Amino acid sequence: MTRYYWMGGNRSYEQDRFFEQSLDKSLWQKAGSAEAWDACWYTGMPDPDYFSEVGPERKINHIPGNNALTVKSRLYRSLMDLRERVERQDKGSAHLTDRLAFVPGVFSMPEDYHAFQQAALDNPDKRWILKPKNAARGKGIQLVGDPAKVPLESSWMVQEYLEKPHTMHDRKYVLRLYVLVSSISPFRVYLYRQGFAKLASAPYDEENADNPYSYLTNPDVNALNLGADVPVEFVDFERYRAWLREQGHDDEALFAKIEDLVALTCLAALEPMRERSRVVGADTRGCYELMGIDCLVDEKLKPWVLECNLSPSLEVCAGPESGGDIEEGIKASLVADMVEIVGLNSKSADVETGTVAERLVRETLQEMARSGGFKNLIPG
């Protein structure tokens, strides 16, 4: 039986091509309209109506309520809410609350304006970074010059600036992690084993606050640095981890912390996603989410979550000489493994036999068996 896929949203060929290439051509054809689809690949967040008819045989690549993670100010609030719940339940257990101390402080405008002014007054040597709450590709990001001139519009937030990043070849970098939430009922979370260190294009200089190529790692920003020999450079995790070991660092310990950080970050949004799915009437068996989490590693090799990106860019940003061929291979494999893990290329199977618990165990085991390059974090 032929099935139909539809690609919509803020689309580009680069965003779509790996998804289209990953579908089994003997099973799938492109749909003729935005209504008649069995699988929807949507760049950005679709209208709630898209979720009204999803289910086990009709899937979309988003989960209602994902903005608990993908809007920058909401991400911080979600993690703080989780931390407060942990503190109440465990009576301030330091071990558990310390595990959740991996996100820089955030002040959301305009409601946190006075709190930010007080924090800036109390910490005159601390620097802050101004960010749009719901933008991407480095747009609008800048270091705060005068705290008193921070805009009050609700589209802005101020984030604590992490002063002492770990550097690679004297350049600041951020790790791009690819995270798949394949189900929220039951909750299943995976981290892709490959990803990238995205390097700034100029040496890191704490004193040069006017040089975005020194303190920002976004490829779209650094691509504009015409004075750099390599404006955009991606280092895949295999090479990054080998480099860490060469420097005498424990890459296994770092990535264990990263896995814990990813699991807890996703857990912070579980209830908002379940509640929003209930409100819009989505059958969550038809929803999954691929996200790009940006993680900064500080000089003590502690990982920090900076942001969580909806519909992470699948464009090949780096040139062939600076990791572009490897980047393309990883992104192609990432999407292909995602398509397999959510079962788009699997023929319909009878999953209604046995008890609910037996069906869920069988479904989870089958999913893990086709997980490819994804590592299961939850359950785990």
PDB file of all heavy atoms in Angstrom, residues 67-79 106-109 111-112 132-134 154-159 306:
ATOM      1  N   ASN A  67       7.710  24.031  22.936  1.00  0.00           N
ATOM      2  CA  ASN A  67       8.278  25.352  23.239  1.00  0.00           C
ATOM      3  C   ASN A  67       8.714  25.480  24.694  1.00  0.00           C
ATOM      4  O   ASN A  67       9.395  26.444  25.054  1.00  0.00           O
ATOM      5  CB  ASN A  67       7.315  26.480  22.863  1.00  0.00           C
ATOM      6  CG  ASN A  67       5.982  26.401  23.584  1.00  0.00           C
ATOM      7  OD1 ASN A  67       5.748  25.505  24.393  1.00  0.00           O
ATOM      8  ND2 ASN A  67       5.101  27.339  23.285  1.00  0.00           N
ATOM      9  N   ALA A  68       8.360  24.500  25.530  1.00  0.00           N
ATOM     10  CA  ALA A  68       8.915  24.468  26.890  1.00  0.00           C
ATOM     11  C   ALA A  68      10.435  24.312  26.850  1.00  0.00           C
ATOM     12  O   ALA A  68      11.119  24.617  27.833  1.00  0.00           O
ATOM     13  CB  ALA A  68       8.291  23.326  27.695  1.00  0.00           C
ATOM     14  N   LEU A  69      10.944  23.844  25.720  1.00  0.00           N
ATOM     15  CA  LEU A  69      12.394  23.719  25.523  1.00  0.00           C
ATOM     16  C   LEU A  69      12.919  24.662  24.457  1.00  0.00           C
ATOM     17  O   LEU A  69      14.000  25.226  24.599  1.00  0.00           O
ATOM     18  CB  LEU A  69      12.760  22.284  25.124  1.00  0.00           C
ATOM     19  CG  LEU A  69      12.515  21.173  26.138  1.00  0.00           C
ATOM     20  CD1 LEU A  69      12.941  19.841  25.539  1.00  0.00           C
ATOM     21  CD2 LEU A  69      13.254  21.433  27.429  1.00  0.00           C
ATOM     22  N   THR A  70      12.170  24.824  23.365  1.00  0.00           N
ATOM     23  CA  THR A  70      12.723  25.471  22.182  1.00  0.00           C
ATOM     24  C   THR A  70      12.613  26.988  22.192  1.00  0.00           C
ATOM     25  O   THR A  70      13.215  27.644  21.332  1.00  0.00           O
ATOM     26  CB  THR A  70      12.052  24.918  20.909  1.00  0.00           C
ATOM     27  OG1 THR A  70      10.638  25.162  20.974  1.00  0.00           O
ATOM     28  CG2 THR A  70      12.302  23.422  20.786  1.00  0.00           C
ATOM     29  N   VAL A  71      11.847  27.574  23.121  1.00  0.00           N
ATOM     30  CA  VAL A  71      11.891  29.021  23.344  1.00  0.00           C
ATOM     31  C   VAL A  71      12.881  29.247  24.483  1.00  0.00           C
ATOM     32  O   VAL A  71      12.737  28.672  25.566  1.00  0.00           O
ATOM     33  CB  VAL A  71      10.502  29.580  23.690  1.00  0.00           C
ATOM     34  CG1 VAL A  71      10.583  31.056  24.078  1.00  0.00           C
ATOM     35  CG2 VAL A  71       9.555  29.400  22.501  1.00  0.00           C
ATOM     36  N   LYS A  72      13.893  30.072  24.232  1.00  0.00           N
ATOM     37  CA  LYS A  72      15.040  30.163  25.139  1.00  0.00           C
ATOM     38  C   LYS A  72      14.646  30.485  26.576  1.00  0.00           C
ATOM     39  O   LYS A  72      15.159  29.875  27.520  1.00  0.00           O
ATOM     40  CB  LYS A  72      16.029  31.200  24.606  1.00  0.00           C
ATOM     41  CG  LYS A  72      16.647  30.843  23.264  1.00  0.00           C
ATOM     42  CD  LYS A  72      17.571  31.942  22.778  1.00  0.00           C
ATOM     43  CE  LYS A  72      18.189  31.602  21.429  1.00  0.00           C
ATOM     44  NZ  LYS A  72      17.195  31.623  20.335  1.00  0.00           N
ATOM     45  N   SER A  73      13.742  31.433  26.762  1.00  0.00           N
ATOM     46  CA  SER A  73      13.348  31.800  28.123  1.00  0.00           C
ATOM     47  C   SER A  73      12.527  30.691  28.779  1.00  0.00           C
ATOM     48  O   SER A  73      12.608  30.477  29.996  1.00  0.00           O
ATOM     49  CB  SER A  73      12.561  33.111  28.116  1.00  0.00           C
ATOM     50  OG  SER A  73      11.442  33.022  27.232  1.00  0.00           O
ATOM     51  N   ARG A  74      11.748  29.956  27.986  1.00  0.00           N
ATOM     52  CA  ARG A  74      10.960  28.842  28.529  1.00  0.00           C
ATOM     53  C   ARG A  74      11.856  27.689  28.954  1.00  0.00           C
ATOM     54  O   ARG A  74      11.567  26.982  29.931  1.00  0.00           O
ATOM     55  CB  ARG A  74       9.956  28.351  27.475  1.00  0.00           C
ATOM     56  CG  ARG A  74       8.798  29.277  27.173  1.00  0.00           C
ATOM     57  CD  ARG A  74       7.737  29.276  28.268  1.00  0.00           C
ATOM     58  NE  ARG A  74       7.297  27.938  28.608  1.00  0.00           N
ATOM     59  CZ  ARG A  74       6.359  27.246  27.933  1.00  0.00           C
ATOM     60  NH1 ARG A  74       5.775  27.780  26.868  1.00  0.00           N
ATOM     61  NH2 ARG A  74       6.000  26.046  28.321  1.00  0.00           N
ATOM     62  N   LEU A  75      12.943  27.455  28.210  1.00  0.00           N
ATOM     63  CA  LEU A  75      13.886  26.392  28.568  1.00  0.00           C
ATOM     64  C   LEU A  75      14.401  26.598  29.985  1.00  0.00           C
ATOM     65  O   LEU A  75      14.400  25.670  30.804  1.00  0.00           O
ATOM     66  CB  LEU A  75      15.044  26.376  27.578  1.00  0.00           C
ATOM     67  CG  LEU A  75      16.267  25.526  27.942  1.00  0.00           C
ATOM     68  CD1 LEU A  75      15.906  24.055  28.018  1.00  0.00           C
ATOM     69  CD2 LEU A  75      17.405  25.749  26.926  1.00  0.00           C
ATOM     70  N   TYR A  76      14.833  27.805  30.284  1.00  0.00           N
ATOM     71  CA  TYR A  76      15.352  28.105  31.630  1.00  0.00           C
ATOM     72  C   TYR A  76      14.268  27.899  32.674  1.00  0.00           C
ATOM     73  O   TYR A  76      14.493  27.273  33.718  1.00  0.00           O
ATOM     74  CB  TYR A  76      15.862  29.544  31.667  1.00  0.00           C
ATOM     75  CG  TYR A  76      16.348  29.985  33.031  1.00  0.00           C
ATOM     76  CD1 TYR A  76      17.568  29.532  33.526  1.00  0.00           C
ATOM     77  CD2 TYR A  76      15.602  30.845  33.819  1.00  0.00           C
ATOM     78  CE1 TYR A  76      18.023  29.922  34.774  1.00  0.00           C
ATOM     79  CE2 TYR A  76      16.042  31.250  35.067  1.00  0.00           C
ATOM     80  CZ  TYR A  76      17.258  30.784  35.540  1.00  0.00           C
ATOM     81  OH  TYR A  76      17.697  31.182  36.783  1.00  0.00           O
ATOM     82  N   ARG A  77      13.058  28.381  32.403  1.00  0.00           N
ATOM     83  CA  ARG A  77      11.969  28.251  33.371  1.00  0.00           C
ATOM     84  C   ARG A  77      11.604  26.781  33.584  1.00  0.00           C
ATOM     85  O   ARG A  77      11.334  26.364  34.722  1.00  0.00           O
ATOM     86  CB  ARG A  77      10.757  29.033  32.879  1.00  0.00           C
ATOM     87  CG  ARG A  77       9.601  29.161  33.853  1.00  0.00           C
ATOM     88  CD  ARG A  77      10.024  29.973  35.063  1.00  0.00           C
ATOM     89  NE  ARG A  77      10.347  29.115  36.208  1.00  0.00           N
ATOM     90  CZ  ARG A  77      10.995  29.514  37.273  1.00  0.00           C
ATOM     91  NH1 ARG A  77      11.442  30.752  37.343  1.00  0.00           N
ATOM     92  NH2 ARG A  77      11.239  28.701  38.268  1.00  0.00           N
ATOM     93  N   SER A  78      11.603  25.995  32.519  1.00  0.00           N
ATOM     94  CA  SER A  78      11.282  24.570  32.641  1.00  0.00           C
ATOM     95  C   SER A  78      12.279  23.865  33.548  1.00  0.00           C
ATOM     96  O   SER A  78      11.905  23.053  34.402  1.00  0.00           O
ATOM     97  CB  SER A  78      11.271  23.902  31.262  1.00  0.00           C
ATOM     98  OG  SER A  78      10.261  24.438  30.438  1.00  0.00           O
ATOM     99  N   LEU A  79      13.567  24.182  33.362  1.00  0.00           N
ATOM    100  CA  LEU A  79      14.598  23.544  34.184  1.00  0.00           C
ATOM    101  C   LEU A  79      14.532  24.022  35.629  1.00  0.00           C
ATOM    102  O   LEU A  79      14.753  23.241  36.559  1.00  0.00           O
ATOM    103  CB  LEU A  79      15.973  23.803  33.581  1.00  0.00           C
ATOM    104  CG  LEU A  79      16.275  22.986  32.324  1.00  0.00           C
ATOM    105  CD1 LEU A  79      17.470  23.546  31.580  1.00  0.00           C
ATOM    106  CD2 LEU A  79      16.507  21.519  32.673  1.00  0.00           C
ATOM    107  N   VAL A 106      18.859  33.275  33.484  1.00  0.00           N
ATOM    108  CA  VAL A 106      18.144  34.010  32.444  1.00  0.00           C
ATOM    109  C   VAL A 106      17.180  34.999  33.089  1.00  0.00           C
ATOM    110  O   VAL A 106      16.512  34.680  34.076  1.00  0.00           O
ATOM    111  CB  VAL A 106      17.364  33.042  31.516  1.00  0.00           C
ATOM    112  CG1 VAL A 106      16.347  33.790  30.657  1.00  0.00           C
ATOM    113  CG2 VAL A 106      18.320  32.273  30.620  1.00  0.00           C
ATOM    114  N   PHE A 107      17.113  36.185  32.511  1.00  0.00           N
ATOM    115  CA  PHE A 107      16.144  37.196  32.909  1.00  0.00           C
ATOM    116  C   PHE A 107      15.276  37.508  31.694  1.00  0.00           C
ATOM    117  O   PHE A 107      15.784  37.923  30.651  1.00  0.00           O
ATOM    118  CB  PHE A 107      16.846  38.465  33.407  1.00  0.00           C
ATOM    119  CG  PHE A 107      17.668  38.253  34.645  1.00  0.00           C
ATOM    120  CD1 PHE A 107      19.000  37.865  34.550  1.00  0.00           C
ATOM    121  CD2 PHE A 107      17.102  38.408  35.905  1.00  0.00           C
ATOM    122  CE1 PHE A 107      19.765  37.668  35.687  1.00  0.00           C
ATOM    123  CE2 PHE A 107      17.858  38.199  37.050  1.00  0.00           C
ATOM    124  CZ  PHE A 107      19.188  37.823  36.946  1.00  0.00           C
ATOM    125  N   SER A 108      13.975  37.273  31.833  1.00  0.00           N
ATOM    126  CA  SER A 108      13.038  37.456  30.736  1.00  0.00           C
ATOM    127  C   SER A 108      12.418  38.846  30.819  1.00  0.00           C
ATOM    128  O   SER A 108      11.920  39.248  31.877  1.00  0.00           O
ATOM    129  CB  SER A 108      11.950  36.376  30.816  1.00  0.00           C
ATOM    130  OG  SER A 108      11.023  36.511  29.767  1.00  0.00           O
ATOM    131  N   MET A 109      12.467  39.557  29.718  1.00  0.00           N
ATOM    132  CA  MET A 109      11.905  40.902  29.687  1.00  0.00           C
ATOM    133  C   MET A 109      10.410  40.845  29.322  1.00  0.00           C
ATOM    134  O   MET A 109      10.004  39.984  28.560  1.00  0.00           O
ATOM    135  CB  MET A 109      12.656  41.771  28.673  1.00  0.00           C
ATOM    136  CG  MET A 109      14.140  41.938  28.991  1.00  0.00           C
ATOM    137  SD  MET A 109      14.444  42.789  30.559  1.00  0.00           S
ATOM    138  CE  MET A 109      15.495  41.593  31.387  1.00  0.00           C
ATOM    139  N   GLU A 111       9.308  41.308  32.582  1.00  0.00           N
ATOM    140  CA  GLU A 111       8.968  41.011  33.979  1.00  0.00           C
ATOM    141  C   GLU A 111      10.187  40.891  34.880  1.00  0.00           C
ATOM    142  O   GLU A 111      10.103  41.144  36.093  1.00  0.00           O
ATOM    143  CB  GLU A 111       8.099  39.746  34.072  1.00  0.00           C
ATOM    144  CG  GLU A 111       8.740  38.489  33.517  1.00  0.00           C
ATOM    145  CD  GLU A 111       8.450  38.254  32.054  1.00  0.00           C
ATOM    146  OE1 GLU A 111       8.134  39.235  31.332  1.00  0.00           O
ATOM    147  OE2 GLU A 111       8.539  37.092  31.625  1.00  0.00           O
ATOM    148  N   ASP A 112      11.337  40.519  34.310  1.00  0.00           N
ATOM    149  CA  ASP A 112      12.542  40.354  35.130  1.00  0.00           C
ATOM    150  C   ASP A 112      13.504  41.537  35.018  1.00  0.00           C
ATOM    151  O   ASP A 112      14.655  41.440  35.442  1.00  0.00           O
ATOM    152  CB  ASP A 112      13.282  39.065  34.710  1.00  0.00           C
ATOM    153  CG  ASP A 112      12.483  37.808  34.991  1.00  0.00           C
ATOM    154  OD1 ASP A 112      11.609  37.849  35.882  1.00  0.00           O
ATOM    155  OD2 ASP A 112      12.734  36.792  34.328  1.00  0.00           O
ATOM    156  N   PRO A 132      17.339  37.391  21.458  1.00  0.00           N
ATOM    157  CA  PRO A 132      15.905  37.262  21.175  1.00  0.00           C
ATOM    158  C   PRO A 132      15.411  35.919  21.731  1.00  0.00           C
ATOM    159  O   PRO A 132      16.135  34.921  21.674  1.00  0.00           O
ATOM    160  CB  PRO A 132      15.826  37.286  19.649  1.00  0.00           C
ATOM    161  CG  PRO A 132      17.169  37.747  19.180  1.00  0.00           C
ATOM    162  CD  PRO A 132      18.148  37.356  20.238  1.00  0.00           C
ATOM    163  N   LYS A 133      14.196  35.899  22.259  1.00  0.00           N
ATOM    164  CA  LYS A 133      13.692  34.669  22.875  1.00  0.00           C
ATOM    165  C   LYS A 133      13.413  33.572  21.870  1.00  0.00           C
ATOM    166  O   LYS A 133      13.509  32.387  22.184  1.00  0.00           O
ATOM    167  CB  LYS A 133      12.404  34.969  23.659  1.00  0.00           C
ATOM    168  CG  LYS A 133      12.595  35.827  24.885  1.00  0.00           C
ATOM    169  CD  LYS A 133      11.258  36.074  25.569  1.00  0.00           C
ATOM    170  CE  LYS A 133      11.420  36.985  26.769  1.00  0.00           C
ATOM    171  NZ  LYS A 133      10.111  37.302  27.395  1.00  0.00           N
ATOM    172  N   ASN A 134      13.039  33.951  20.667  1.00  0.00           N
ATOM    173  CA  ASN A 134      12.573  32.928  19.730  1.00  0.00           C
ATOM    174  C   ASN A 134      13.165  33.169  18.341  1.00  0.00           C
ATOM    175  O   ASN A 134      12.457  33.284  17.357  1.00  0.00           O
ATOM    176  CB  ASN A 134      11.042  32.939  19.656  1.00  0.00           C
ATOM    177  CG  ASN A 134      10.492  31.649  19.076  1.00  0.00           C
ATOM    178  OD1 ASN A 134      11.189  30.649  18.986  1.00  0.00           O
ATOM    179  ND2 ASN A 134       9.240  31.669  18.675  1.00  0.00           N
ATOM    180  N   SER A 154       9.021  42.319  25.148  1.00  0.00           N
ATOM    181  CA  SER A 154       8.849  40.927  25.587  1.00  0.00           C
ATOM    182  C   SER A 154       9.580  39.925  24.710  1.00  0.00           C
ATOM    183  O   SER A 154       9.653  38.746  25.052  1.00  0.00           O
ATOM    184  CB  SER A 154       7.357  40.577  25.632  1.00  0.00           C
ATOM    185  OG  SER A 154       6.780  40.713  24.353  1.00  0.00           O
ATOM    186  N   SER A 155      10.104  40.368  23.588  1.00  0.00           N
ATOM    187  CA  SER A 155      10.813  39.454  22.693  1.00  0.00           C
ATOM    188  C   SER A 155      12.265  39.237  23.109  1.00  0.00           C
ATOM    189  O   SER A 155      12.973  38.456  22.465  1.00  0.00           O
ATOM    190  CB  SER A 155      10.775  40.002  21.255  1.00  0.00           C
ATOM    191  OG  SER A 155      11.343  41.302  21.197  1.00  0.00           O
ATOM    192  N   TRP A 156      12.724  39.891  24.203  1.00  0.00           N
ATOM    193  CA  TRP A 156      14.127  39.820  24.590  1.00  0.00           C
ATOM    194  C   TRP A 156      14.330  39.135  25.924  1.00  0.00           C
ATOM    195  O   TRP A 156      13.439  39.132  26.784  1.00  0.00           O
ATOM    196  CB  TRP A 156      14.726  41.229  24.665  1.00  0.00           C
ATOM    197  CG  TRP A 156      14.836  41.909  23.348  1.00  0.00           C
ATOM    198  CD1 TRP A 156      13.950  42.803  22.817  1.00  0.00           C
ATOM    199  CD2 TRP A 156      15.863  41.738  22.369  1.00  0.00           C
ATOM    200  NE1 TRP A 156      14.369  43.204  21.572  1.00  0.00           N
ATOM    201  CE2 TRP A 156      15.537  42.570  21.271  1.00  0.00           C
ATOM    202  CE3 TRP A 156      17.033  40.967  22.318  1.00  0.00           C
ATOM    203  CZ2 TRP A 156      16.334  42.649  20.134  1.00  0.00           C
ATOM    204  CZ3 TRP A 156      17.822  41.044  21.188  1.00  0.00           C
ATOM    205  CH2 TRP A 156      17.485  41.874  20.112  1.00  0.00           C
ATOM    206  N   MET A 157      15.517  38.587  26.099  1.00  0.00           N
ATOM    207  CA  MET A 157      15.948  38.026  27.369  1.00  0.00           C
ATOM    208  C   MET A 157      17.436  38.315  27.542  1.00  0.00           C
ATOM    209  O   MET A 157      18.151  38.577  26.573  1.00  0.00           O
ATOM    210  CB  MET A 157      15.701  36.516  27.431  1.00  0.00           C
ATOM    211  CG  MET A 157      16.379  35.739  26.320  1.00  0.00           C
ATOM    212  SD  MET A 157      16.284  33.961  26.479  1.00  0.00           S
ATOM    213  CE  MET A 157      17.925  33.625  27.122  1.00  0.00           C
ATOM    214  N   VAL A 158      17.880  38.275  28.786  1.00  0.00           N
ATOM    215  CA  VAL A 158      19.296  38.445  29.098  1.00  0.00           C
ATOM    216  C   VAL A 158      19.781  37.166  29.761  1.00  0.00           C
ATOM    217  O   VAL A 158      19.145  36.652  30.684  1.00  0.00           O
ATOM    218  CB  VAL A 158      19.530  39.654  30.030  1.00  0.00           C
ATOM    219  CG1 VAL A 158      21.002  39.744  30.407  1.00  0.00           C
ATOM    220  CG2 VAL A 158      19.079  40.942  29.361  1.00  0.00           C
ATOM    221  N   GLN A 159      20.886  36.641  29.288  1.00  0.00           N
ATOM    222  CA  GLN A 159      21.444  35.407  29.824  1.00  0.00           C
ATOM    223  C   GLN A 159      22.822  35.678  30.426  1.00  0.00           C
ATOM    224  O   GLN A 159      23.592  36.488  29.907  1.00  0.00           O
ATOM    225  CB  GLN A 159      21.561  34.362  28.712  1.00  0.00           C
ATOM    226  CG  GLN A 159      21.933  32.972  29.191  1.00  0.00           C
ATOM    227  CD  GLN A 159      21.901  31.964  28.046  1.00  0.00           C
ATOM    228  OE1 GLN A 159      22.533  32.144  27.016  1.00  0.00           O
ATOM    229  NE2 GLN A 159      21.143  30.901  28.224  1.00  0.00           N
ATOM    230  N   LEU A 306      22.921  25.833  26.531  1.00  0.00           N
ATOM    231  CA  LEU A 306      22.680  27.219  26.141  1.00  0.00           C
ATOM    232  C   LEU A 306      21.304  27.389  25.520  1.00  0.00           C
ATOM    233  O   LEU A 306      20.594  28.344  25.820  1.00  0.00           O
ATOM    234  CB  LEU A 306      23.749  27.688  25.159  1.00  0.00           C
ATOM    235  CG  LEU A 306      25.195  27.702  25.668  1.00  0.00           C
ATOM    236  CD1 LEU A 306      26.118  28.258  24.590  1.00  0.00           C
ATOM    237  CD2 LEU A 306      25.318  28.518  26.954  1.00  0.00           C
TER     238      LEU A 306
END
